[in-house]
Amino acid sequence: MYQTTYHRPSSVDEAASLFAKGSDAKYLAGGHTLIPVMKQRLAAPSDVIDLGKIKELVGIEASADTLTIKAATTYYDIMQNADVKKSIPAISYLTSMLGDPAVRHRGTIGGSIANNDPAADFPAALVSLDATVKTNKRSIAADDFFKGLFTTALEDGEIITAIAFPIPAKAGYAKMRHPASRFALTGVFVTQTKTGDVRVAATGASQDGVMRVPAIEAALKANWSAGAIDGVTISADGMISDIHGTSDYRANLVKVMAQRAVDAAG
Amino acid sequence: MGVEGIGASVVRKEDRRFITGKGRYVDDIKLVGMTHAHFIRSPHAHAKIKSIDTSEAMKMPGVVGVLTGQQLVDDKIGNLICGWAITSKDGTGMKMGAWPAMAPETVRFVGQAVAVVIAETKNQARDAAEAVVVNYEELPAVPDIRAAIAPGAPQLHPEAPGNVIYDWTIGDEGATDAAFKAAANVVSLDITNNRLVPNAMEPRAAIAEYNEPEEHFTLYTTSQNPHVARLVLSAFYNIAQEHKLRVVAPDVGGGFGSKIFIYPEEMVALWASKKVGRPVKWTGDRTEAFLTDAHGRDHLTKAEMAFDKDNKITGLRVKTYANLGGYMSLFSSSVPTYLYATLLSGQYNIPNIFAEVISVYTNTVPVDAYRGAGRPEASFVVERLMETAARQLKVDPAELRKKNFITQFPHQTPVIMAYDIGDFHASLDAAMKAIDYAGFPARKAKAKSEGKLRGIGISCYIEACGIAPSKAVGSLGAGVGLWESAEVRVNPVGTIEILTGSHSHGQGHETTFCQLIADRLGVPISQVSIVHGDTDKVQFGMGTYGSRSAAVGLTAILKAMEKVEAKAKKIAAHQLEASENDIVIENGEFKVAGTDKSLALPMVALAAYTAHNLPDGMEPGLKEGAFYDPTNFTFPAGAYICEMEVDAGTGKSTFVNFVAADDFGRLINPMIVEGQVHGGLAQGIGQALLENAAYDASGQLLTASFMDYAMPRADDLPSFKLSHTTTLCPGNPLGVKGCGEAGAIGASAAVINAITDAIGNNKLEMPATPDRVWHAIHG
Ligand SMILES: Cc1cc2nc3c(=O)[nH]c(=O)nc-3n(C[C@H](O)[C@H](O)[C@H](O)COP(=O)(O)OP(=O)(O)OC[C@H]3O[C@@H](n4cnc5c(N)ncnc54)[C@H](O)[C@@H]3O)c2cc1C
């Protein structure tokens, strides 16, 4: 690791102003992505600004229509939370499948979506549930937030403060775990909104990161059942192909995981 | 046996130390004035070094020295050696290219060291390493066997035309061809034995200290065989004379073979410690482990088996290409030859066997022994063939095996090995019973009705362990003898120290070796300690690998014990005024049989050391040594059966059951044996389902971290059901055979046989990832 200056601000505003002062500052949440990259000397931030201790960034709130998870809340806290289990159990399940206990105790929802790894789980939940990403500057719809591999709509120094999930009628997640990293080899999140709309998002599959799956959305809108997806063909074009899964295998997984997610959603 | 004797599941003495963080590994050692080394490694698989500019690095804070491969050459430091000579079928020797510890001219794999920075701190060394400028001219790379043997392939070493190191054969080609001509049925199979990264939990590390006035070196290193390290370092590398080099291998966190070999980093640390006049420490990180630890396996094989009309095997023909990487590691040449092809008879009566092995250079890290070393590859070939044959001949795979089992011992195979004893029916029957083999068809039908694909797979392995009779391996080209030595020291107060040339890096010797003493003398194991891993303390030793520590190492201890006991009996008889022949040893006492006269061990020991009243002419003291050279290999064998269910939608395989019935001869500590089997099975299953060292076309290692290299985790594995069927090894007095490698040798074929049975497609390579299984199901 290179020399860096560590800061522990106590408010979002203080964090933003520290960021502005640093020549090449980075926010730190759980550190499970940033710290390994620094240890490998692939990142050399001048300043590391820890968001994890900022009280206004931690916590979960639920209303009748919305579940709000603040950005620096850990996966473990999300998984255990009674409001999450009640309002969107698929999110609780998703976190239970994410990494291992160490990852779940450190990693945060904000860190995950800011990083936008093409195989991360949460982007699929955000897109499928039509969540809104709240930052210290604005609100961004999930569809507009994720911009391809490791790229988001965040501006330099912008801090994610919370994610607001509309509470759906039904939602389910199914994930085929990557044999080594246990990220999503492919994961599919399906949602039926309270107004009857259907949104389906897949992660780990596309070379462009998280994606909507319109063919499956159409099939499920007509008939919310796993069987309704039987006739859908998913093209392997643009899918990731590597030693762990070819593009046609991933295309198949999009379909199979969607079916299992529907079964899980009930 | 007593509560702590042979056969007792005594809790491991060493675990308290490890569990409470009090183990002492190389990286825990800090010497006064110690500096830190960081290696500059090639980012290219094949390149010429045009220049190395160290001038900026030399000016960096804390830098003590920057050394390059050319300086090694200038100082006449020897190239790395290969310790086993293999002769090609045309009578020529190995075509071996030079492997300098740091490359002066050409790099042949990604990660090969070209220079080293020595600095006050680890971070300073790393900072300065970034300032070393190496200019490479990239050359075309051959990342795998097929590329290496392709016509016109780039040449790695001028010594090895066509990148072929040797083309070796074993067995009778003519007789085998004739058997195939006369065969009623022939079964053939193309097999890839996937390349693996050993991944011991503790990465390799070394600390070297040079004492200038004494011209003496000390090397602390992560070694499975410190004496072999000293021998090789002194005899071949021109670094130090043997008596001026002490090698210490303290607690070592796993080896699996990868820490047998002497690596460039150890050589450079020694050499550099003299050059900079300060102790030099190097601790590898996980990336370096992936890139530079010797990998395992990596074979391409075509195998054929001939059967007569009664389904008796009449011949086996095997052609294997083995990838040895960019250079020949210490025992690399023997792994795909004498440790592989000599086991191709499996548990079966095969009258004719012929095998050809062609070893090749590629632009990858060297390949050498990894848990099982050659024997997993052999077992996989034989057991995949048997399963394939059963399917092709439409007979039950268990019946086909039984029909061909060797039942008479000793049995001379056509490929050197003479099996001393075994009962293959007993282990297969035990495994079939444990898994309810008879009930499988009903279970399969039920699974099918639920939309699941279920399969069962058998693997009957045999291995040659207790490595090895020195004369035999010498005649086959080994550069060393493979005996073991021991010394038993009874201290004046009756406590006992056992000095052994075996080295424990997870095997539990500190417990099992004490159990022998407890068994013989009836003293508690707390009165016994095991001394190992230090060339200044232990007389000599060949180390631990090849499941040899019980069969060879412990037998050496037994031999020394017998001498100690004989002398102690003489002393006791003298003191008790009895005849030596009437003395029996019980519960730590020397008793005159049939009387109530006795002398406790401490009193005997004290008498030996005070020497006030010893038999006339007897030397004082109670300490004896022994060297033990086995007369044959030992032959652990067993049957593994695994039942799996495959999800046709995802291709994911899940274990329903995994049973093992092993014959290891006598068990010293059944709990430790169980642990060894569990670990071996995990590695065998890892190879079958998860692990794969993959290089891309340019020779970059794609799986250079745990994010891409899938190590088995606990939840990837079933709860194993183990059992033992025992035939005592006649070759050593303890009747032990060895258990360290069995799981890794036998497991993978059982898994692949089960999955291919489930999906009804025999074309499936390891690792059987969900992706591959899905393709095998759906085409
Ligand atoms: C072994 C292992 C297994 C894993 N398995 C999975 C898995 O199965 N599924 C999965 O989805 N992920 C997995 N991950 C990734 C894990 O979820 C990471 O923790 C996550 O990607 C980053 O979250 P973090 O809180 O650790 O972020 P950090 O590493 O601290 O930060 C990551 C990036 O986000 C930025 N950032 C963090 N918080 C904010 C914020 N509030 N506003 C703006 N920018 C911010 C940081 O500046 C940094 O650039 C795994 C990681 C590991 C190490």
Side-chain angles (χ1 to χ4, degrees):
Chain A
M1 200 180 284
Y2 295 106
Q3 284 283 344
T4 187
T5 307
Y6 173 83
H7 306 270
R8 189 183 278 176
S10 52
S11 72
V12 171
D13 287 347
E14 188 191 347
S17 72
L18 282 166
F19 189 98
K21 275 187 229 148
S23 61
D24 180 15
K26 272 266 178 209
Y27 294 122
L28 175 75
H32 263 210
T33 298
L34 183 60
I35 301 289
V37 174
M38 288 173 68
K39 282 166 84 174
Q40 286 163 13
R41 299 188 159 210
L42 298 171
S46 59
D47 300 81
V48 170
I49 301 159
D50 193 345
L51 304 178
K53 298 289 180 296
I54 300 178
K55 287 208 175 64
E56 56 191 298
L57 287 180
V58 181
I60 297 169
E61 286 158 13
S63 69
D65 298 323
T66 311
L67 174 74
T68 305
I69 305 178
K70 295 186 182 164
T73 311
T74 64
Y75 304 130
Y76 181 79
D77 287 344
I78 297 169
M79 182 176 88
Q80 298 289 84
N81 185 273
D83 287 333
V84 176
K85 283 184 188 163
K86 196 164 143 256
S87 58
I88 317 181
I91 288 186
S92 184
Y93 170 75
L94 175 147
T95 45
S96 77
M97 291 289 285
L98 199 160
D100 52 39
V103 173
R104 291 195 283 273
H105 276 91
R106 295 282 323 164
T108 66
I109 187 170
S112 174
I113 65 168
N115 190 46
N116 193 17
D117 188 299
D121 296 293
F122 260 113
L126 265 72
V127 170
S128 175
L129 287 161
D130 199 14
T132 302
V133 179
K134 308 238 162 123
T135 76
N136 57 340
K137 294 186 179 153
R138 57 190 167 139
S139 291
I140 311 166
D143 277 336
D144 303 325
F145 181 82
F146 300 105
K147 299 271 186 200
L149 302 194
F150 300 103
T151 313
T152 67
L154 286 178
E155 285 163 10
D156 202 33
E158 192 171 1
I159 297 173
I160 303 167
T161 54
I163 296 95
F165 295 97
I167 294 171
K170 289 175 177 180
Y173 184 60
K175 170 184 182 180
M176 182 69 188
R177 295 203 284 197
H178 183 289
S181 73
R182 302 224 166 158
F183 276 72
L185 195 57
T186 289
V188 177
F189 204 107
V190 298
T191 301
Q192 188 182 54
T193 67
K194 283 183 175 165
T195 59
D197 196 13
V198 172
R199 294 172 60 98
V200 175
T203 185
S206 164
Q207 292 169 6
D208 296 327
V210 63
M211 64 168 189
R212 297 269 298 268
V213 194
I216 294 179
E217 289 178 349
L220 288 177
K221 216 164 169 175
N223 171 11
W224 179 264
S225 74
I229 304 170
D230 279 343
V232 174
T233 350
I234 304 292
S235 166
D237 290 347
M239 294 288 179
I240 299 169
S241 195
D242 59 23
I243 54 170
H244 302 288
T246 55
S247 51
D248 56 337
Y249 177 64
R250 281 185 161 91
N252 164 69
L253 283 182
V254 169
K255 185 169 154 179
V256 174
M257 290 300 120
Q259 292 180 312
R260 293 183 187 180
V262 171
D263 282 340
Chain B
M1 75 184 186
V3 286
E4 294 184 333
I6 288 176
S9 284
V10 180
V11 171
R12 297 186 357 145
K13 285 173 82 175
E14 47 270 76
D15 282 349
R16 211 174 107 76
R17 175 168 97 245
F18 295 137
I19 289 167
T20 57
K22 294 294 193 298
R24 192 165 183 259
Y25 298 88
V26 172
D27 191 56
D28 295 322
I29 297 170
K30 293 173 179 65
L31 302 181
V32 174
M34 190 169 78
T35 63
H36 298 264
H38 185 88
F39 285 87
I40 291 124
R41 301 185 180 280
S42 170
H44 306 296
H46 197 190
K48 280 239 168 310
I49 299 169
K50 295 183 72 183
S51 64
I52 302 180
D53 183 353
T54 61
S55 52
E56 283 307 310
M58 285 298 292
K59 293 183 221 149
M60 301 277 288
V63 170
V64 176
V66 184
L67 304 170
T68 65
Q70 188 53 48
Q71 285 165 280
L72 272 173
V73 176
D74 296 344
D75 284 1
K76 303 200 167 40
I77 300 300
N79 293 323
L80 279 86
I81 61 153
C82 178
W84 197 309
I86 299 293
T87 306
S88 283
K89 61 183 183 188
D90 63 6
T92 58
M94 298 193 293
K95 318 289 185 298
M96 184 172 163
W99 183 10
M102 293 193 291
E105 261 173 39
T106 308
V107 288
R108 293 182 178 86
F109 64 91
V110 171
Q112 186 176 358
V114 298
V116 65
V117 176
I118 318 285
E120 298 292 345
T121 71
K122 220 173 155 165
N123 252 333
Q124 286 174 330
R126 211 170 157 183
D127 287 342
E130 286 174 12
V132 175
V133 184
V134 187
N135 252 314
Y136 294 98
E137 177 191 330
E138 271 190 80
L139 300 170
V142 284
D144 58 33
I145 292 169
R146 288 191 180 89
I149 59 174
Q155 297 290 295
L156 265 70
H157 295 276
E159 296 85 351
N163 299 316
V164 172
I165 300 167
Y166 54 73
D167 181 345
W168 170 92
T169 63
I170 189 170
D172 186 334
E173 186 173 18
T176 308
D177 285 349
F180 275 85
K181 279 210 187 77
N185 286 294
V186 171
V187 175
S188 78
L189 207 54
D190 289 307
I191 293 170
T192 304
N193 203 289
N194 45 323
R195 183 181 178 109
L196 305 176
V197 183
N199 274 319
M201 198 180 289
E202 179 205 21
R204 290 189 294 112
I207 306 175
E209 182 176 32
Y210 180 62
N211 182 320
E212 194 269 329
E214 304 284 335
E215 295 180 348
H216 181 278
F217 290 87
T218 304
L219 174 68
Y220 300 89
T221 183
T222 48
S223 173
Q224 301 179 211
N225 37 219
H227 283 93
V228 176
R230 184 178 69 161
L231 173 68
V232 172
L233 285 163
S234 58
F236 298 99
Y237 299 153
N238 195 29
I239 291 175
Q241 285 181 286
E242 210 164 2
H243 67 305
K244 295 285 188 185
L245 172 60
R246 174 185 178 198
V247 178
V248 183
D251 284 331
V252 173
F256 311 111
S258 70
K259 292 173 182 165
I260 297 173
F261 327 117
I262 290 74
Y263 285 89
E265 292 84 0
E266 293 159 296
M267 296 170 60
V268 170
L270 280 168
W271 168 70
S273 72
K274 184 174 175 183
K275 281 202 103 66
V276 302
R278 305 262 301 270
V280 174
K281 179 182 207 169
W282 170 76
T283 302
D285 62 19
R286 186 56 62 185
T287 306
E288 287 179 298
F290 272 104
L291 291 177
T292 67
D293 288 2
H295 289 182
R297 320 277 192 257
D298 206 344
H299 287 189
L300 286 182
T301 294
K302 182 168 187 64
E304 303 162 282
M305 204 176 246
F307 289 85
D308 69 13
K309 59 180 184 357
D310 297 324
N311 294 338
K312 288 259 199 192
I313 308 167
T314 55
L316 172 64
R317 200 157 50 193
V318 173
K319 182 169 184 177
T320 292
Y321 286 91
N323 183 353
L324 296 193
Y327 300 94
M328 292 186 73
S329 175
L330 192 61
F331 289 112
S332 58
S333 54
S334 64
V335 176
T337 51
Y338 289 110
L339 293 176
Y340 164 71
T342 55
L343 270 305
L344 284 171
S345 198
Q347 297 188 354
Y348 311 106
N349 238 314
I350 308 182
N352 304 289
I353 299 178
F354 177 72
E356 177 174 16
V357 179
I358 299 157
S359 284
V360 302
Y361 278 125
T362 62
N363 291 109
T364 62
V365 70
V367 179
D368 207 324
Y370 165 64
R371 201 169 192 170
R375 291 151 294 164
E377 296 91 313
S379 195
F380 192 76
V381 166
V382 175
E383 289 307 289
R384 285 288 292 131
L385 271 175
M386 289 306 279
E387 200 74 25
T388 307
R391 289 173 196 166
Q392 191 173 318
L393 302 172
K394 300 200 169 17
V395 294
D396 179 81
E399 284 313 310
L400 184 67
R401 286 178 169 86
K402 288 183 177 186
K403 178 174 250 178
N404 286 285
F405 273 160
I406 294 162
T407 54
Q408 302 292 315
F409 297 91
H411 173 88
Q412 177 63 54
T413 72
V415 278
I416 298 179
M417 290 299 170
Y419 300 164
D420 52 2
I421 199 161
D423 186 343
F424 306 146
H425 281 283
S427 44
L428 181 53
D429 286 341
M432 287 168 72
K433 191 155 172 259
I435 206 157
D436 182 19
Y437 189 79
F440 176 73
R443 295 197 296 278
K444 185 177 175 107
K446 182 160 182 292
K448 195 174 173 192
S449 72
E450 291 158 4
K452 295 281 189 181
L453 306 169
R454 191 160 298 194
I456 197 161
I458 300 175
S459 170
C460 295
Y461 73 90
I462 188 162
E463 45 172 336
C465 294
I467 287 176
S470 300
K471 198 168 164 184
V473 294
S475 75
L476 303 177
V480 289
L482 290 168
W483 43 264
E484 195 47 86
S485 87
E487 191 175 297
V488 175
R489 288 186 194 159
V490 183
N491 296 320
V493 290
T495 57
I496 299 168
E497 284 158 332
I498 306 294
L499 289 80
T500 170
S502 298
H503 184 275
S504 189
H505 35 278
Q507 292 85 350
H509 296 170
E510 288 171 52
T511 306
T512 49
F513 287 7
C514 293
Q515 287 183 253
L516 172 71
I517 314 306
D519 202 75
R520 308 269 321 174
L521 299 181
V523 297
I525 61 171
S526 61
Q527 298 298 297
V528 188
S529 61
I530 303 298
V531 179
H532 68 115
D534 186 338
T535 60
D536 262 13
K537 291 183 182 164
V538 177
Q539 55 293 342
F540 204 94
M542 297 310 296
T544 287
Y545 39 83
S547 304
R548 68 191 304 271
S549 297
V552 190
L554 194 54
T555 303
I557 296 173
L558 175 66
K559 297 283 177 196
M561 269 304 289
E562 285 170 355
K563 295 183 193 173
V564 163
E565 288 167 23
K567 183 170 181 182
K569 279 184 179 177
K570 280 198 177 76
I571 297 170
H574 180 74
Q575 300 256 333
L576 295 167
E577 296 177 341
S579 156
E580 184 188 333
N581 296 327
D582 290 338
I583 303 289
V584 292
I585 307 175
E586 267 172 33
N587 298 324
E589 298 197 324
F590 290 72
K591 294 185 173 161
V592 184
T595 73
D596 58 1
K597 289 206 285 181
S598 72
L599 202 62
L601 174 65
M603 300 312 293
V604 178
L606 198 61
Y609 285 93
T610 56
H612 294 162
N613 184 18
L614 291 177
D616 282 346
M618 179 183 274
E619 289 177 15
L622 195 50
K623 180 194 95 158
E624 299 289 344
F627 282 70
Y628 172 70
D629 198 2
T631 51
N632 192 358
F633 294 87
T634 64
F635 296 95
Y640 295 160
I641 309 183
C642 133
E643 189 168 327
M644 301 202 82
E645 208 158 78
V646 178
D647 178 339
T650 63
K652 187 165 170 54
S653 313
T654 315
F655 286 94
V656 179
N657 208 344
F658 193 111
V659 303
D662 293 296
D663 179 356
F664 298 137
R666 192 185 308 285
L667 307 183
I668 308 289
N669 181 324
M671 179 199 71
I672 288 181
V673 168
E674 209 169 287
Q676 289 288 315
V677 176
H678 280 202
L681 290 174
Q683 282 171 307
I685 290 170
Q687 166 159 37
L689 293 178
L690 297 158
E691 298 182 50
N692 192 29
Y695 284 87
D696 73 7
S698 70
Q700 294 292 332
L701 183 60
L702 294 171
T703 50
S705 84
F706 290 130
M707 294 308 256
D708 285 301
Y709 187 88
M711 283 294 275
R713 293 161 160 97
D715 67 355
D716 290 316
L717 303 168
S719 190
F720 304 115
K721 292 199 185 73
L722 310 189
S723 66
H724 301 280
T725 59
T726 301
T727 58
L728 294 180
C729 177
N732 61 64
L734 292 165
V736 296
K737 298 184 183 179
C739 65
E741 296 163 291
I745 289 169
S748 26
V751 172
I752 298 300
N753 286 341
I755 299 175
T756 52
D757 179 43
I759 64 177
N761 181 356
N762 203 36
K763 259 184 98 67
L764 182 66
E765 284 185 359
M766 297 192 292
T769 58
D771 171 51
R772 284 180 175 171
V773 173
W774 182 81
H775 278 102
I777 297 171
H778 300 279

